[in-house]
Amino acid sequence: MSVAWWIVVTVGVTFGTFGGDVAAVQGAAKSGPLYHYEYSRIQEEDQRWKCWNEGYRPPKATSNKVHELGNGTATELQRILRFNQSSTVLFMFSSNSDNQNLHNECTIEANKLVRLTLDNAGLEKLEISFPGTENDCRLADLSVPRNRLTVVPLGLERLTALRKLDLSYNLLESFNLNQLAKATGIKQLLLSHNRLESFLTAELIALDSLHKLDISNNRLRTLDATLWNLPRLETFHVDHNRHLATIAGWSRVRFPLVKGFDPTGTNNWNQTWLKSVQ
């Protein structure tokens, strides 16, 4: 009798534990899959400054930094991305998960952001919405690689202090360089691994500080550099545009700092035109 009773009790406990596991699994399934995330945020209390200047660093006495990593549901990641922009000067988010099932949007509002990175955040839409002109001269680094943006962020032309713009690994089909006409200090423009079929320049544009332009791994068939005034351009990636055979307006005299053809160098593009102009 005692043996039989022990067996019944043991079986009952086993089933109880199994039932708890099922409930936990069902609860996890109900809340959705988990996604990896890591982010850093610096908030600054004293924000009397108006425009960003090269070399700016938030003073330790009036700023605080938060760093967090883990795994969260889509809802939790959306909460993280809705951070308080009014006092944040730096926000850097990244994920190493497969985020194809994330569907996020972001609006950059009135703030004092200097650097914003949203890497693999499931972004499908990004807008820049500033009242007046107060915020135009603050954001210096905007990096949103590995998302699913199909159009260039609305309001991009407002960012006059940009030094780096990274829209690589998205789904862009067109880019108008004149949108950056007011960002005269921009140094890096990264647009590789999109679906660009056009890289347009409707008017003469002078970007005196631009030293790196990457439009590789796209679908460009034509490219016209006639209206480009880029005296400091050194690194120009245009490889892996299968149907691009020539670049109008290109010459060594106009772009003297771009390194010559070298299969292992910065251009890595073995088209006849590049050999002929070096």
Side-chain angles (χ1 to χ4, degrees), residues 15-263:
F15 271 88
T17 304
F18 178 74
D21 290 342
V22 170
V25 171
Q26 290 176 340
K30 186 176 181 180
S31 61
L34 298 179
Y35 302 91
H36 167 267
Y37 68 85
E38 181 173 2
Y39 75 90
S40 296
R41 183 180 74 242
I42 295 180
Q43 293 178 297
E44 185 181 15
E45 298 172 7
D46 184 3
Q47 295 193 348
R48 287 174 293 181
W49 58 274
K50 180 180 179 181
C51 291
W52 173 84
N53 291 310
E54 199 87 41
Y56 163 81
R57 294 290 184 277
K60 293 183 179 180
T62 59
S63 62
N64 63 83
K65 180 178 180 179
V66 175
H67 177 260
E68 185 177 323
L69 59 87
N71 297 287
T73 63
T75 301
E76 290 170 333
L77 264 62
Q78 290 171 356
R79 176 186 57 79
I80 292 172
L81 295 176
R82 290 195 298 267
F83 64 96
N84 182 358
Q85 297 185 23
S86 63
S87 60
T88 301
V89 292
L90 177 147
F91 186 84
M92 299 174 63
F93 174 96
S94 65
S95 172
N96 59 22
S97 296
D98 180 355
N99 289 339
Q100 291 300 312
N101 292 323
L102 286 179
H103 306 281
N104 290 322
E105 298 182 359
C106 179
T107 299
I108 304 175
E109 300 172 337
N111 57 56
K112 292 209 172 176
L113 275 168
V114 169
R115 182 176 183 182
L116 176 62
T117 298
L118 302 174
D119 181 358
N120 193 26
L123 279 185
E124 296 180 338
K125 185 178 181 181
L126 177 63
E127 291 186 359
I128 299 162
S129 178
F130 294 157
T133 60
E134 183 180 358
N135 286 84
D136 291 9
C137 58
R138 293 175 181 170
L139 188 58
D141 185 332
L142 177 59
S143 299
V144 287
R146 298 194 300 160
N147 287 288
R148 295 189 301 279
L149 299 177
T150 57
V151 295
V152 175
L154 182 66
L156 182 64
E157 66 281 355
R158 298 288 301 275
L159 303 181
T160 61
L162 269 183
R163 295 299 185 270
K164 177 183 177 182
L165 177 62
D166 184 356
L167 297 171
S168 56
Y169 290 89
N170 276 280
L171 304 175
L172 302 178
E173 296 182 357
S174 178
F175 188 89
N176 188 337
L177 190 59
N178 292 113
Q179 288 181 280
L180 298 176
K182 295 181 180 179
T184 55
I186 192 169
K187 297 180 179 181
Q188 298 184 60
L189 176 56
L190 311 177
L191 299 169
S192 68
H193 293 87
N194 275 278
R195 298 178 178 178
L196 291 180
E197 296 183 359
S198 61
F199 186 80
L200 306 173
T201 313
E203 301 174 354
L204 180 67
I205 184 167
L207 299 176
D208 293 344
S209 299
L210 188 67
H211 67 80
K212 182 174 183 178
L213 173 59
D214 189 348
I215 50 177
S216 62
N217 291 275
N218 279 290
R219 302 176 179 179
L220 296 173
R221 292 177 176 270
T222 61
L223 189 60
D224 191 344
T226 304
L227 298 177
W228 298 0
N229 184 6
L230 314 176
R232 290 184 173 83
L233 185 64
E234 296 180 0
T235 303
F236 180 42
H237 291 291
V238 70
D239 51 288
H240 292 90
N241 284 279
R242 293 180 56 192
H243 302 290
L244 184 62
T246 185
I247 297 181
W250 185 277
S251 70
R252 185 180 180 86
V253 174
R254 295 191 61 224
F255 303 95
L257 301 181
V258 175
K259 297 176 176 61
F261 172 74
D262 180 357

